[in-house]
Amino acid sequence: MTETKSPVLEAIREKFGEDVIEAGIFRGDEFVVVKRERVIDLLRFLKEDPGMSFEFLMDVTAVDWLGRKTPRFEVVYHLYSFSKNRRLRVKTPVPEEDPRVESATPLWKGANWFEREVYDMFGITFDGHPDLRRILLYDSFVGHPLRKDYPHDKRQPTVPTDEFPDPEKNVRVYIDEWKKRGE
Amino acid sequence: MAVDDALNQLGNQVFLTRFDRILAWARKYSLWPLPFGTACCAIEFMAVVGTHYDISRYGWEVVRFSPRQADLLIVAGTVNYKIAPALKKVYEQMLEPKWVIAMGACATSGGFYNNYSVVQGIDRFIPVDVYVPGCPPKPEALIDGIMMIKEMIETGAKRKRDILEEMKKR
């Protein structure tokens, strides 16, 4: 798994040394796990170094490893190089007690909405983000639904439902009405 | 009697009916639907409006995107908690008389989405008259659903809205 034939990974190892937690190739996909403090430095290097030239940030997302890994969260960046036609996955562990990462918005404007989504779903904050608020869910929503400890059956209604009977009763009343019509 | 004489003179040029029946006759052939399309069901709705299935054959083709001009709300697609207040407002803005169709599995029951964001059926917050099953329903199924609305109008059947009002009084 930790095969190191890739020139990209070699260059990263050489430049970041101890800060690279893990680097390797998994089923043909190169990945780097780097310390949280250096992740923006690494991304800047990958974007701006002529040998790397990963111009395009495809996605920023996160993983919740609740009960399976410490630290709990992992923020994942997917990079793509148009000029060299290759991809790279950069991951960084984020602890539960201090869920924050430096924002990648100074490097890519496109990181803005990705990071807002990660904030919305996982509650990880991005330092230096220009407008960090929920992007998909409504403002009154409490909690972060893609965290593994968010109750799977928890609902946060936005409209009153009091005057409507429960669905089963609802349908039964209605079937009776239709039957009456047929008589 | 003067009226009888007049009727005799007119012969079979006139017929008598009840006012509400003639009103229902007019209404049932001029439904103005408002499509609240949020997912693939809306694509199926487009097929129904398009030339092949062509609901204008029944006089229902005046699709309005203002609730104030519509009398049939067709909710086509998944409704989540974020958009639910908007849907409720749209329903409330429609003028009486108004009918509601829940088109497809999602609008009917949440479909296969049972998670933090999806309302488990629009009948949790607005009254639904006809449920059209399918994922998405075939165009024929939607036409059948609107046919049921037509039948409701011509027979003067109670809408879910009316039933709820009655239940509240009880």
Side-chain angles (χ1 to χ4, degrees):
Chain A
M1 195 169 137
T2 45
E3 213 181 322
T4 54
K5 277 173 193 161
S6 157
V8 174
L9 298 182
E10 283 304 321
I12 292 168
R13 272 223 194 78
E14 198 178 306
K15 191 160 163 58
F16 288 86
E18 288 295 294
D19 296 325
V20 176
I21 298 167
E22 195 187 345
I25 302 171
F26 183 68
R27 293 187 180 157
D29 292 337
E30 290 149 88
F31 71 92
V32 188
V33 186
V34 72
K35 280 185 185 161
R36 178 164 63 136
E37 295 74 24
R38 294 300 303 277
V39 69
I40 290 301
D41 295 337
L42 175 62
L43 291 175
R44 180 172 289 114
F45 169 68
L46 291 170
K47 186 191 175 193
E48 289 168 3
D49 187 90
M52 300 288 131
S53 50
F54 287 94
E55 303 96 355
F56 181 41
L57 178 70
M58 295 202 301
D59 192 18
V60 179
T61 183
V63 185
D64 183 0
W65 292 101
L66 180 66
R68 294 168 69 189
K69 255 193 202 176
T70 335
R72 179 175 163 185
F73 297 106
E74 210 166 47
V75 173
V76 187
Y77 301 83
H78 290 109
L79 304 181
Y80 178 66
S81 166
F82 290 113
S83 48
K84 297 192 162 35
N85 187 23
R86 43 181 195 209
R87 289 160 212 276
L88 180 66
R89 186 177 301 131
V90 176
K91 302 195 270 189
T92 185
V94 178
E96 186 178 358
E97 317 78 61
D98 179 33
R100 50 179 63 244
V101 184
E102 205 184 319
S103 173
T105 45
L107 291 170
W108 290 280
K109 280 188 177 172
N112 189 321
W113 284 12
F114 291 144
E115 289 177 351
R116 278 176 67 186
E117 189 188 357
V118 172
Y119 165 71
D120 199 355
M121 295 293 154
F122 293 93
I124 296 168
T125 51
F126 291 85
D127 295 333
H129 190 288
D131 182 27
L132 194 66
R133 55 196 167 90
R134 289 189 184 279
I135 187 169
L136 293 171
L137 290 163
Y138 35 101
D139 292 336
S140 59
F141 196 91
V142 180
H144 303 281
L146 291 196
R147 286 190 171 200
K148 297 288 182 207
D149 53 4
Y150 186 88
H152 73 93
D153 53 354
K154 189 179 173 188
R155 299 289 180 271
Q156 302 191 26
T158 50
V159 279
T161 54
D162 327 335
E163 52 181 305
F164 295 91
D166 68 284
E168 249 175 69
K169 198 176 159 196
N170 219 335
V171 171
R172 208 167 300 129
V173 168
Y174 208 51
I175 290 170
D176 292 345
E177 194 62 32
W178 270 92
K179 276 184 187 156
K180 258 186 257 165
R181 205 182 307 166
E183 279 161 13
Chain B
M1 293 277 286
V3 176
D4 284 341
D5 291 343
L7 285 176
N8 282 333
Q9 276 176 22
L10 284 167
N12 57 6
Q13 292 173 49
V14 289
F15 70 97
L16 296 176
T17 183
R18 292 203 328 259
F19 179 68
D20 57 346
R21 289 199 62 180
I22 197 101
L23 195 63
W25 172 81
R27 261 178 195 152
K28 74 183 179 184
Y29 290 123
S30 65
L31 282 169
W32 289 20
L34 165 72
F36 192 89
T38 50
C40 43
C41 283
I43 307 295
E44 246 14 62
F45 175 81
M46 289 173 212
V48 175
V49 183
T51 48
H52 192 79
Y53 291 96
D54 195 15
I55 52 169
S56 69
R57 290 178 291 161
Y58 310 98
W60 305 329
E61 82 279 23
V62 193
V63 177
R64 290 289 128 160
F65 295 100
S66 165
R68 292 158 204 274
Q69 298 172 338
D71 51 11
L72 172 63
L73 177 63
I74 299 176
V75 181
T78 321
V79 174
N80 53 36
Y81 285 112
K82 193 177 180 181
I83 209 167
L87 176 56
K88 185 149 181 80
K89 193 171 251 177
V90 163
Y91 175 73
E92 281 164 359
Q93 283 180 341
M94 288 169 68
L95 300 177
E96 288 282 5
K98 55 188 173 185
W99 291 267
V100 180
I101 290 180
M103 179 183 178
C106 293
T108 304
S109 67
F112 52 65
Y113 304 105
N114 187 359
N115 59 25
Y116 59 89
S117 62
V118 177
V119 184
Q120 300 298 296
I122 57 164
D123 56 4
R124 302 254 171 140
F125 63 97
I126 61 173
V128 177
D129 297 305
V130 170
Y131 299 83
V132 179
C135 184
K138 292 183 78 172
E140 292 94 326
L142 181 61
I143 292 175
D144 193 40
I146 312 180
M147 283 281 188
M148 283 182 177
I149 297 282
K150 170 178 161 276
E151 193 188 314
M152 286 177 71
I153 299 170
E154 72 190 14
T155 57
K158 276 179 207 156
R159 297 166 302 162
K160 175 68 134 319
R161 186 182 172 82
D162 307 323
I163 297 167
L164 287 174
E165 288 295 319
E166 276 173 25
M167 285 168 82
K168 229 185 279 173
K169 273 176 208 156
R170 242 178 260 155

